[in-house]
Amino acid sequence: MGSSAEKKAQTPENFTDIKIKAPSQNSVGFDALKSSVTHVLKYTKPLDAIKASLKMNQKGGFDCPGCAWPDPDDERSSIGEYCENGIKAMTEEMQNKLINREFFANHSVDELAELSDFEIGKSGRLSEPMYLPEGATHYQPISWEDAFNKVATHLNALENPDEAVFYTSGRTTNEAAFLYQLFVREFGTSNLPDCSNMCHEASGSALSETLGIGKGSVTLDDLYKAELVMVVGQNPGTNHPRMLSALEKCKNNGGKIITVNPLPEAGLISFTNPQSFLGLLKGGTKLTDVFVPITINGDVAFFKALLIKLLEKEEDIGEVFDLDFIKEYTHGFDDFILDLKTYDFDECLQAAGISEAVFNEAFELILKKNKIIICWAMGLTQHQNAVDNIRELVNLLLLKGSIGKEGAGTCPVRGHSNVQGDRTVGIWEAAPQAFLDKIESKYGFKPKSQHGYSVIDTVKAMNEGKVKVFFGMGGNFISAVPDTTYSAIGMSKCDLTVHVSTKLNRSHLVTGKEALILPCLGRTEKDYQKTGVQVQSVENSMGVVSSTKGILEPCSSDLMSEVAVVCGIANATLKSRTKIKWLNYKDDYNLVRDDIQEVIEGFEDYNNRLKQPSGFYLPNGARERQFKTNTGKANFSINKLPEWTLKDDELIMMTIRSHDQFNTTIYGLNDRYRGIFNERRIIFMNRDDMASRNLKDQQVVHLQSEFNGDIRQAKNFKVVGYDIPKNCCATYFPETNVLVPIDSFAHTAKTPASKSVVVRVIANTAN
Ligand SMILES: Nc1nc2c(c(=O)[nH]1)N[C@H]1C(S)=C(S)[C@@H](COP(=O)(O)OP(=O)(O)OC[C@H]3O[C@@H](n4cnc5c(=O)[nH]c(N)nc54)[C@H](O)[C@@H]3O)O[C@H]1N2
Ligand SMILES: Nc1nc2c(c(=O)[nH]1)N[C@H]1C(S)=C(S)[C@@H](COP(=O)(O)OP(=O)(O)OC[C@H]3O[C@@H](n4cnc5c(=O)[nH]c(N)nc54)[C@H](O)[C@@H]3O)O[C@H]1N2
Ligand code: SF4
Ligand SMILES: [Mo]
């Protein structure tokens, strides 16, 4: 009998010898160049890396496998359109080591599970399909055909198609994602959870309701032209580094920046553009004009305080609100104002945890500006009241008429490089009926209308024994989802777990009774099919669809493209009952795009328009002031302050990314900007909170979270005194996912509340 699923799902609790320095005041510059070069030399063939980097994010090249930040529409830098973390994402995929049958013969699943996520990732690229039979300790090789038949046999043996779940992570291209959801719907379920459920789902939900489109409204050009950009709950210096160049351009054009974050993140305070020689000499541009050190989940309170004061000024002196816009384009203004008047400014300020002086500085910047962009990411979406957070910032934009005009609007900054595109082409457990009707009329089968499982629903259904087959198209489900122990128990109840992956990860080790690893091509690699090397497409955070084409030879001849995997499995599973010629698509991806253009609005002439060097914009109603909401107008909304009652010994914890990881892929053990080196098991704490608990720097503690009476525990973290508001603390994801309660999620959007986990810090008396 091997280790339990719960144990295998845990990251090891040992320390790696921490070094601490003062946090940086500046981002990028020479250190970033140094870090990328070190990475390239250590893990790849440097010549390939240079060749690939010159094609990354270039017209006709491949799309960076990192985040979803857009590329400029017009000119692209010839030195390179990428950042330090783009290079790391690329080199992670291009590793010079391969994982093959010998590797798996030499290492049992239990043994691999004892490695850290960093070590697992550095084992190399998956290079051939592998199978873990029931009761076996080691994975063994399997042919592609047998693997497809195994999946088909399991799927066809289910009593009900809803006993299968098909997860997607956001790297999957439009072509693969469209076919995947088509297969799943023809198979008979809408169980299509995706990483978006844990990410920007709350943004989609709030924006659809208020502005009629679940995506942001701005373009890159708008950012350059904004008078004011607010960056709220986002750490672009690490997670969307090239956004800093856009912010720099905005500043050079006279724009101002307000940053709202519990942490003074280096990237936002000041930035040295590595592609600007002058910038390197000058030592950087100061980006943030006003830093608002908000308490975790204090955002509704902060925005309300702003709204209250704006209303006062409007009533006093006028010309603060855009009354013409409000009259012509919005709904619910009077009710919104009535409700706003019931709130007390001082209470809001206190709940936001900021001083009146800081508030006034931010307020003065906002008061006179009419071209405002608000950017946000996980700091707003991963709370129980995440949808309120976003609806409240929309209220501010509506009062200012800051939507649907140049230099103004909403900018939810998306995570994975094609997470937005996946949703556009139908990866959605709650797809709109109009989309399902289109599928029916095109393909002649009736997709299930009833909504399927989201991520949270999936984990619960697994635990209830309702899921027999889990299929993951990319991603690392077990490490990404909340409540690791509970989730691992659920996963182990499945009969078959399947992962289409480029790299080994913990989800391959926490399995159902049987498991399959299906290795696929990455973005950088050429996708050879019958009609030649295939082009695919992706959509970035600003709704631009562009092509991506790999340029390197595949790292192994036994890899398949995601498209080919979907076609193979669909063909093996649906056999004669399908209405679709699955195998044709894999020979020629143009055929997939022909279908997409028939089913999804905005993709007219897809194949031709994809040839345009910068791609094409998808339609966006909010950008045109056409609000496709239930009222036909942009809706004001009424949002309450969250109610927090922390007990004396409790803190609110946010689980965040270090500078050296891409989600669950750990590039290295440093968090350079925050001054942490060679350690991930740390907790950032306010020094007063440390003093009141008698905790010293680097002291070892255990963390406990309590939710609805259940206690969850994570052992061994080193305390790091940091510039973070009182009663707040921060740890890295995924080490502390074990503490995030499965039932703590955003109302209506079900995004896990992984930025507001109530914890107790318990000194380890053994040290
Ligand atoms: N290099 C790299 N790039 C990435 C990723 C990666 O892991 N590594 N991940 C990708 C993905 S999938 C995503 S979704 C994005 C994530 O991008 P981010 O959302 O920037 O990532 P997080 O580290 O989760 O950071 C959240 C930020 O919100 C702040 N914050 C936390 N709670 C609150 C709050 O209550 N209020 C406010 N105002 N701020 C708060 C934190 O201090 C932190 O600065 O990045 C994408 N890009
Ligand atoms: N506590 C806490 N939990 C979180 C978050 C948080 O902030 N805090 N953030 C959440 C967010 S925003 C997100 S998006 C999720 C991320 O959840 P996921 O998307 O599931 O996780 P990743 O770590 O991005 O997935 C990495 C794996 O994807 C595979 N992969 C990489 N490239 C490709 C490819 O091109 N094709 C295929 N098929 N596979 C590939 C590799 O095998 C790699 O191991 O995690 C969420 N979980
Ligand atoms: S900003 Fe994001 S998409 Fe652009 S190069 Fe960096 S990681 Fe890649
Ligand atoms: Mo994400």
Side-chain angles (χ1 to χ4, degrees):
M1 189 65 195
S3 308
S4 66
E6 304 96 281
K7 183 154 180 288
K8 284 187 287 196
Q10 295 277 348
T11 49
E13 288 164 354
N14 52 309
F15 294 113
T16 40
D17 195 15
I18 190 168
K19 304 267 181 310
I20 299 181
K21 291 189 193 162
S24 297
Q25 294 299 315
N26 193 350
S27 66
V28 197
F30 284 120
D31 280 352
L33 294 179
K34 204 170 93 192
S35 171
S36 340
V37 172
T38 313
H39 225 77
V40 164
L41 294 179
K42 212 162 159 185
Y43 301 115
T44 63
K45 297 184 189 123
L47 280 179
D48 277 358
I50 292 168
K51 185 172 158 198
S53 66
L54 291 172
K55 279 287 182 187
M56 183 150 87
N57 293 333
Q58 296 293 344
K59 297 169 181 173
F62 67 94
D63 181 60
C64 170
C67 76
W69 189 252
D71 303 310
D73 286 340
D74 41 25
E75 87 290 1
R76 307 252 163 118
S77 161
S78 54
I79 328 176
E81 277 296 346
Y82 49 78
C83 68
E84 172 190 354
N85 280 333
I87 290 290
K88 288 184 190 162
M90 183 190 86
T91 49
E92 194 68 22
E93 191 175 290
M94 295 175 46
Q95 278 187 21
N96 48 15
K97 276 201 277 178
L98 292 186
I99 297 185
N100 51 20
R101 60 186 68 191
E102 284 78 40
F103 174 90
F104 284 107
N106 289 335
H107 302 285
S108 69
V109 170
D110 282 3
E111 227 179 292
L112 291 171
E114 279 173 23
L115 300 177
S116 67
D117 292 337
F118 172 63
E119 291 163 326
I120 292 177
K122 294 292 178 257
S123 324
R125 267 291 291 278
L126 294 163
S127 64
E128 58 179 327
M130 300 299 299
Y131 170 57
L132 186 70
E134 187 168 358
T137 53
H138 292 68
Y139 272 97
Q140 58 194 44
I142 184 171
S143 70
W144 277 102
E145 194 185 348
D146 288 351
F148 289 166
N149 286 333
K150 202 156 274 304
V151 178
T153 308
H154 272 272
L155 289 177
N156 287 329
L158 298 177
E159 275 175 27
N160 182 329
D162 289 335
E163 291 173 339
V165 168
F166 299 87
Y167 173 70
T168 316
S169 167
R171 245 180 222 183
T172 298
T173 59
N174 284 355
E175 291 75 4
F178 178 78
L179 291 181
Y180 182 49
Q181 61 84 35
L182 186 64
F183 158 61
V184 170
R185 297 188 196 284
E186 194 182 22
F187 173 66
T189 179
S190 27
N191 287 341
L192 282 160
D194 69 344
C195 67
S196 199
N197 294 153
M198 298 181 269
C199 190
H200 266 294
E201 195 71 63
S203 309
S205 174
L207 292 174
S208 304
E209 177 192 334
T210 53
L211 301 175
I213 180 165
K215 307 177 184 182
S217 73
V218 302
T219 65
L220 203 48
D221 207 46
D222 287 321
L223 265 176
Y224 305 152
K225 294 177 175 155
E227 292 170 340
L228 174 69
V229 178
M230 295 179 77
V231 182
V232 191
Q234 192 202 347
N235 178 20
T238 287
N239 297 313
H240 308 92
R242 281 192 316 148
M243 177 172 160
L244 301 184
S245 318
L247 292 176
E248 187 184 40
K249 256 195 174 169
C250 171
K251 292 242 26 182
N252 290 343
N253 291 340
K256 298 284 179 196
I257 295 173
I258 299 176
T259 293
V260 185
N261 200 307
L263 300 178
E265 304 284 24
L268 274 171
I269 306 300
S270 176
F271 164 61
T272 304
N273 192 335
Q275 282 158 9
S276 149
F277 188 61
L278 198 64
L280 287 170
L281 285 181
K282 272 197 321 193
T285 309
K286 180 174 173 285
L287 289 182
T288 294
D289 294 284
V290 180
F291 171 56
V292 180
I294 198 149
T295 194
I296 294 176
N297 202 213
D299 302 271
V300 169
F302 172 60
F303 276 100
K304 245 186 221 316
L306 290 172
L307 295 168
I308 291 170
K309 286 289 167 189
L310 288 173
L311 176 60
E312 275 179 28
K313 285 281 183 197
E314 172 66 26
E315 290 181 338
D316 248 19
I317 52 168
E319 301 202 343
V320 176
F321 293 175
D322 183 340
L323 294 172
D324 293 341
F325 172 83
I326 293 171
K327 193 160 164 239
E328 188 173 349
Y329 292 105
T330 71
H331 174 266
F333 176 71
D334 294 343
D335 288 345
F336 162 73
I337 296 293
L338 269 182
D339 180 73
L340 188 60
K341 287 185 167 168
T342 65
Y343 288 89
D344 176 63
F345 172 76
D346 292 326
E347 259 175 49
C348 290
L349 214 54
Q350 205 192 353
I354 54 174
S355 69
E356 193 150 358
V358 169
F359 175 87
N360 286 337
E361 275 187 69
F363 180 72
E364 285 306 319
L365 277 189
I366 293 167
L367 182 62
K368 295 275 183 278
K369 304 283 190 289
N370 297 311
K371 284 181 174 184
I372 303 174
I373 289 178
I374 306 184
C375 303
W376 72 92
M378 298 302 100
L380 289 192
T381 63
Q382 297 179 332
H383 297 283
Q384 289 185 12
N385 69 337
V387 177
D388 288 2
N389 273 339
I390 293 137
R391 297 194 320 175
E392 200 71 344
L393 69 83
V394 169
N395 284 336
L396 173 70
L397 293 174
L398 293 182
L399 287 181
K400 284 287 194 176
S402 259
I403 186 97
K405 70 176 180 196
E406 191 180 83
T410 51
C411 184
V413 186
R414 307 297 302 247
H416 270 296
S417 56
N418 197 38
V419 61
Q420 186 157 313
D422 289 348
R423 192 46 79 80
T424 303
V425 301
I427 301 290
W428 197 356
E429 82 285 357
Q433 191 56 43
F435 169 77
L436 301 177
D437 292 343
K438 278 273 181 68
I439 296 263
E440 182 176 357
S441 65
K442 161 100 186 115
Y443 298 101
F445 71 87
K446 200 172 180 54
K448 191 161 186 163
S449 310
Q450 200 189 337
H451 293 178
Y453 297 143
S454 66
V455 164
I456 298 260
D457 302 329
T458 298
V459 172
K460 290 192 163 191
M462 280 175 167
N463 274 278
E464 289 161 11
K466 292 183 186 158
V467 178
K468 302 271 193 292
V469 177
F470 174 89
F471 190 101
M473 180 57 79
N476 181 2
F477 190 82
I478 208 64
S479 297
V481 297
D483 226 337
T484 314
T485 303
Y486 177 73
S487 300
I489 294 172
M491 188 63 90
S492 67
K493 290 185 178 171
C494 294
D495 290 336
L496 176 71
T497 48
V498 187
H499 289 92
V500 181
S501 316
T502 50
K503 301 284 306 290
L504 186 69
N505 64 45
R506 207 164 280 285
S507 294
H508 304 124
L509 311 173
V510 181
T511 64
K513 292 189 186 82
E514 295 170 73
L516 282 165
I517 301 177
L518 306 180
C520 67
L521 293 168
R523 282 280 170 82
T524 48
E525 290 163 325
K526 288 185 184 163
D527 183 353
Y528 290 101
Q529 304 293 347
K530 259 195 195 142
T531 53
V533 176
Q534 302 296 305
V535 173
Q536 301 193 63
S537 51
V538 289
E539 176 185 342
N540 65 34
S541 213
M542 291 174 180
V544 179
V545 177
S546 59
S547 67
T548 175
K549 187 173 174 188
I551 55 146
L552 298 176
E553 290 307 316
C555 70
S556 150
S557 58
D558 214 6
L559 303 181
M560 276 206 187
S561 70
E562 292 178 347
V563 167
V565 171
V566 172
C567 293
I569 288 179
N571 185 57
T573 307
L574 301 170
K575 291 206 177 81
S576 59
R577 66 181 199 272
T578 184
K579 297 197 181 297
I580 296 166
K581 292 197 171 59
W582 286 102
L583 297 181
N584 289 358
Y585 292 120
K586 80 176 173 57
D587 295 341
D588 182 1
Y589 298 2
N590 286 316
L591 302 178
V592 189
R593 288 184 285 271
D594 286 343
D595 279 23
I596 294 178
Q597 80 178 12
E598 276 185 58
V599 174
I600 300 162
E601 198 196 333
F603 285 90
E604 298 77 22
D605 204 17
Y606 194 176
N607 275 310
N608 272 326
R609 282 199 296 160
L610 201 57
K611 291 182 190 135
Q612 294 167 13
S614 301
F616 59 92
Y617 279 91
L618 288 175
N620 185 310
R623 200 174 278 164
E624 315 294 329
R625 294 194 166 175
Q626 286 166 9
F627 301 107
K628 295 180 182 164
T629 61
N630 58 347
T631 59
K633 304 236 168 173
N635 289 319
F636 278 98
S637 62
I638 293 178
N639 307 297
K640 294 195 186 66
L641 293 183
E643 284 172 20
W644 279 105
T645 39
L646 287 180
K647 293 186 202 131
D648 276 353
D649 60 346
E650 290 174 338
L651 301 172
I652 307 189
M653 177 179 81
M654 51 182 182
T655 56
I656 55 175
R657 291 154 170 81
S658 79
H659 190 64
D660 244 358
Q661 70 184 90
F662 194 94
N663 300 337
T664 69
T665 299
I666 310 301
Y667 299 143
L669 302 177
N670 301 338
D671 193 3
R672 193 174 74 238
Y673 294 156
R674 300 194 186 110
I676 306 296
F677 294 84
N678 205 37
E679 188 57 83
R680 292 185 51 84
R681 296 193 78 82
I682 59 156
I683 171 167
F684 294 104
M685 284 181 74
N686 175 288
R687 293 187 179 83
D688 289 346
D689 290 332
M690 284 167 61
S692 65
R693 288 165 175 77
N694 275 324
L695 295 173
K696 305 209 165 28
D697 257 304
Q698 299 200 30
Q699 186 166 340
V700 176
V701 293
H702 303 321
L703 307 178
Q704 270 189 0
S705 71
E706 185 171 346
F707 188 81
N708 290 344
D710 290 332
I711 294 186
R712 296 164 173 84
Q713 176 150 287
K715 282 193 179 162
N716 285 0
F717 290 83
K718 287 195 174 166
V719 174
V720 175
Y722 206 76
D723 199 358
I724 183 170
K726 244 172 103 62
N727 296 325
C728 297
C729 64
T731 54
Y732 299 130
F733 132 67
E735 282 79 356
T736 44
N737 283 34
V738 65
L739 298 171
V740 185
I742 191 78
D743 283 317
S744 176
F745 50 75
H747 307 306
T748 72
K750 291 200 177 167
T751 322
S754 43
K755 294 285 189 278
S756 46
V757 186
V758 177
V759 294
R760 279 190 292 265
V761 178
I762 296 158
N764 178 4
T765 45
N767 67 82

